[in-house]
Amino acid sequence: FDEGYQWFYEGRNGWWQYDDRTSVELESKYKTGNKVFELLIAGFLYIVDLENMVQYRRNDRTKKRRVRRDLSSIPGVKGVAGLKMA
Ligand code: V3L
């Protein structure tokens, strides 16, 4: 990772950091210029589209969440992969 950068997906009123394994995968795809790819997240296949910076379940494309690569110090981070920050 570049110094201080992290991957986030959109929550209701803020951003969730991706879990470590998924973050490493995202960073690797990002670095190789891979724009659209599948990821297994909590047992479901998701499409990540880095051209439009969104993710959505492969078999339900109606619920799109924004994706963001930004400094880990951004405001509004709720926690990691659904686990609220202490
Ligand atoms: N990593 C982990 N869980 C995810 C991810 C991901 N990248 N994408 C979706 N889910 P959907 P608030 C989120 C979960 O988009 O209160 C948060 O992690 C998603 O979890 O329709 O709204 C929280 O746990 C949701 O439970 O595929 O901010 C939860 O929402 C489920 O997959 C509530 O967060 C369906 O999301």
Side-chain angles (χ1 to χ4, degrees):
F1 282 88
D2 295 341
E3 194 58 46
Y5 278 83
Q6 274 298 343
W7 286 91
F8 304 95
Y9 60 95
E10 184 178 24
R12 235 176 314 168
N13 44 7
W15 297 88
W16 293 100
Q17 201 173 299
Y18 280 86
D19 69 84
D20 287 347
R21 179 191 61 80
T22 308
S23 298
V24 167
E25 241 179 295
L26 283 165
E27 187 71 5
S28 154
K29 302 279 195 193
Y30 170 79
K31 286 281 167 62
T32 56
N34 212 326
K35 293 292 190 194
V36 184
F37 48 87
E38 290 181 0
L39 282 184
L40 192 62
I41 297 172
F44 291 96
L45 273 174
Y46 281 79
I47 312 272
V48 178
D49 175 351
L50 295 184
E51 193 74 33
N52 297 298
M53 293 301 272
V54 291
Q55 64 147 64
Y56 47 88
R57 227 179 256 200
R58 192 174 69 168
N59 62 12
D60 177 9
R61 306 188 174 211
T62 56
K63 180 72 198 297
K64 287 195 169 68
R65 290 175 192 268
R66 285 186 291 161
V67 171
R68 176 170 184 189
R69 181 183 184 276
D70 212 332
L71 294 171
S72 52
S73 57
I74 57 164
V77 178
K78 303 182 78 174
V80 180
L83 282 178
K84 290 214 174 97
M85 249 156 18

